[in-house]
Amino acid sequence: MYSSFRNNIEKFVKLTDAEWDLMVPYLEIRKLKKHELFAEQGKVAGELCFVLEGMLRQYYMKDGEEKTTYFFFDNHLAGAYFSCISQKPSLLTIEALSECKVIVFPYKVLKELFETNMAWQTFGRLLAEYLAMGLEDRMVELLILSPEERYLELVKGNKTKIMERIPQHYIANYLGLTPVSLSRIRNRVVKK
Amino acid sequence: MYSSFRNNIEKFVKLTDAEWDLMVPYLEIRKLKKHELFAEQGKVAGELCFVLEGMLRQYYMKDGEEKTTYFFFDNHLAGAYFSCISQKPSLLTIEALSECKVIVFPYKVLKELFETNMAWQTFGRLLAEYLAMGLEDRMVELLILSPEERYLELVKGNKTKIMERIPQHYIANYLGLTPVSLSRIRNRVVKK
DNA sequence: TCAATACGATAACATAAGATAAGAAAAAAG
DNA sequence: CTTTTTTCTTATCTTATGTTATCGTATTGA
């Protein structure tokens, strides 16, 4: 049941069974209904999860509008990681885009493992480095590519099929544009 | 000589003298001339540095143009961190914007410390988390703020005086716009 | 010191994006 | 199955940005 989660962690660092077992008692399978929130703006996040099935989105509020900035798919960690780390109220909300099955665990437990076990600590570093590299890529794309180029990069990727199931206005936000603008770009690109 | 570097590290994690001494033999003071490169696109980076004096910029090439995406000031770590981590050729170049005095050290040494010492490993995690949080903030600004709002955020910050010494077209890139556009925004903002 | 280069402001024009609204299509809810 | 809601496209209008070019000034380097 938890093996996909363990496998995913072990892409970063190998764990002995004993080390893995330090985490297991705190894992909990949870189902999220569509539109259910996993983390909420203004609240200090205490939990992270590993997505087994389904997908989620992360959004910020600006001028009363939801601005979607990230998606979480299966086999990935999700959660308001930086709120957990800083113990400050989260600036973002995480919502299930579909029915989801996730493995939930308290960040406190992970932190405890970070501080007491070298392998887990290494995992913590490698995970943060992995997150940072992803964010750097994303930032560079936003800085140096035009909206149309960003859209083309997105459809070039391997997430095309998944993306098709996500409402387009969320993807527009993700690319830093308005839904109307994305619709126009799609129209333009098709004609080329 | 190295105390500001140590202090900076100890903002993340306290080190015993013995732990600090593990790093000291590998530190080297280096002066960079204006326009001298510290890391170069296409080359695998092997060194990081801590800036004692001066400032540097990081840029990517796109369509034959340099796109500045980040600045490094004194009392901060600089370098092609992700190239060091991944041992892949760097996508970015780091250039001294002024005469610089930096403390240089091989990433290999740092990695060795990560893997053999718990305090250093913790530093590695906290550093990566810190970098990731900064990148997340930056990304969100790019996604949900308009160019003008981004400029206003920048001048609101505490780096105003430093920024004044940086050529404006670098700052334009950093904000994700063209130099001409930044000039117009500045003009517009003054009149309000 | 002088010449070359880099820098920033501005203008003119073309293009693309934002805002808003309307209508069709698709999905969700009852 | 029908109604309601959400989603997407399209059109119009306005505005901001990109592109290119010019000009005066500041900086740099020989």
Side-chain angles (χ1 to χ4, degrees):
Chain A
M1 192 55 148
Y2 297 144
S3 64
S4 63
F5 184 27
R6 181 171 175 178
N7 286 340
N8 206 268
I9 290 173
E10 295 207 352
K11 282 180 192 162
F12 294 99
V13 64
K14 296 290 167 204
L15 298 175
T16 63
D17 285 348
E19 283 165 340
W20 170 247
D21 288 343
L22 295 171
M23 176 59 116
V24 173
Y26 304 98
L27 299 178
E28 172 206 334
I29 301 277
R30 188 183 302 170
K31 292 196 177 181
L32 302 174
K33 288 182 202 143
K34 189 171 177 174
H35 295 134
E36 191 174 337
L37 303 184
F38 180 72
E40 201 172 344
Q41 187 193 25
K43 294 186 181 172
V44 176
E47 293 179 328
L48 298 172
C49 71
F50 178 79
V51 185
L52 291 171
E53 293 166 22
M55 51 192 179
L56 305 94
R57 74 182 174 113
Q58 154 183 320
Y59 66 84
Y60 288 74
M61 290 302 288
K62 162 132 198 270
D63 305 332
E65 282 185 13
E66 297 174 358
K67 301 284 187 181
T68 299
T69 58
Y70 205 72
F71 302 105
F72 302 98
F73 303 108
D74 52 313
N75 271 311
H76 283 271
L77 275 173
Y81 201 64
F82 302 129
S83 173
C84 286
I85 290 172
S86 66
Q87 285 297 295
K88 290 181 190 159
S90 178
L91 297 172
L92 53 87
T93 301
I94 295 177
E95 181 205 68
L97 274 173
S98 63
E99 289 260 320
C100 288
K101 194 160 95 178
V102 299
I103 303 174
V104 180
F105 55 93
Y107 174 72
K108 223 187 279 181
V109 169
L110 188 64
K111 198 186 169 199
E112 186 85 9
L113 290 177
F114 285 167
E115 287 163 1
T116 55
N117 180 280
M118 191 66 167
W120 280 100
Q121 180 72 278
T122 302
F123 169 70
R125 172 172 64 87
L126 296 177
L127 175 64
E129 287 176 354
Y130 173 81
L131 292 175
M133 282 194 278
L135 285 164
E136 167 92 9
D137 283 349
R138 188 93 190 284
M139 189 194 73
V140 171
E141 286 207 350
L142 288 168
L143 280 176
I144 75 183
L145 298 184
S146 69
E148 183 168 325
E149 288 170 322
R150 295 203 291 276
Y151 172 71
L152 291 172
E153 278 296 315
L154 184 74
V155 297
K156 208 163 66 180
N158 53 357
K159 290 267 189 299
T160 318
K161 282 170 202 162
I162 305 170
M163 285 292 182
E164 275 167 13
R165 280 181 283 145
I166 297 177
Q168 204 165 291
H169 61 282
Y170 294 155
I171 294 174
N173 289 166
Y174 176 82
L175 293 172
L177 0 125
T178 59
V180 178
S181 193
L182 176 56
S183 180
R184 275 189 295 229
I185 288 171
R186 285 162 56 89
N187 186 302
R188 209 157 60 215
V189 167
V190 169
K191 284 176 184 163
K192 278 181 185 168
Chain B
M1 194 52 144
Y2 296 145
S3 64
S4 63
F5 184 27
R6 180 169 176 180
N7 287 340
N8 206 269
I9 291 173
E10 296 207 352
K11 283 179 189 164
F12 293 98
V13 63
K14 296 291 166 202
L15 297 175
T16 63
D17 285 348
E19 283 165 339
W20 171 245
D21 288 342
L22 294 171
M23 176 60 115
V24 173
Y26 304 97
L27 300 177
E28 171 208 332
I29 300 278
R30 188 182 303 168
K31 293 197 175 180
L32 303 174
K33 287 180 200 145
K34 190 170 178 173
H35 295 134
E36 191 173 339
L37 303 185
F38 180 71
E40 202 171 346
Q41 188 192 23
K43 295 187 183 172
V44 176
E47 294 180 328
L48 298 172
C49 72
F50 178 79
V51 185
L52 293 170
E53 293 166 21
M55 51 193 177
L56 305 95
R57 74 180 173 115
Q58 155 183 320
Y59 65 85
Y60 289 73
M61 291 303 285
K62 162 136 198 268
D63 304 331
E65 284 185 9
E66 298 175 358
K67 300 283 187 181
T68 299
T69 58
Y70 205 72
F71 301 106
F72 301 98
F73 303 108
D74 53 312
N75 270 310
H76 279 88
L77 275 173
Y81 202 63
F82 302 128
S83 173
C84 287
I85 290 172
S86 65
Q87 285 298 294
K88 289 182 191 157
S90 178
L91 297 172
L92 52 86
T93 300
I94 295 176
E95 179 204 69
L97 274 173
S98 63
E99 289 260 319
C100 288
K101 195 160 93 179
V102 300
I103 303 174
V104 180
F105 56 94
Y107 174 72
K108 223 186 279 182
V109 170
L110 188 63
K111 199 186 169 201
E112 186 85 10
L113 290 176
F114 285 167
E115 287 163 359
T116 55
N117 179 280
M118 190 65 167
W120 280 100
Q121 181 71 280
T122 303
F123 169 70
R125 173 172 63 88
L126 295 176
L127 175 65
E129 287 176 353
Y130 173 81
L131 292 175
M133 283 195 277
L135 285 164
E136 166 92 10
D137 282 350
R138 188 94 190 282
M139 188 194 73
V140 171
E141 285 206 352
L142 289 168
L143 280 177
I144 74 182
L145 299 184
S146 68
E148 183 169 326
E149 287 170 322
R150 295 203 291 274
Y151 172 71
L152 291 172
E153 279 296 315
L154 184 75
V155 297
K156 210 163 68 178
N158 53 359
K159 290 267 189 300
T160 319
K161 281 170 201 159
I162 305 169
M163 286 292 180
E164 276 167 14
R165 278 182 283 145
I166 297 177
Q168 202 164 296
H169 61 284
Y170 293 156
I171 294 173
N173 287 168
Y174 175 82
L175 292 173
L177 19 103
T178 60
V180 178
S181 194
L182 177 56
S183 180
R184 274 189 294 232
I185 287 171
R186 285 163 57 89
N187 186 303
R188 207 156 63 215
V189 166
V190 168
K191 284 176 184 162
K192 281 181 182 170

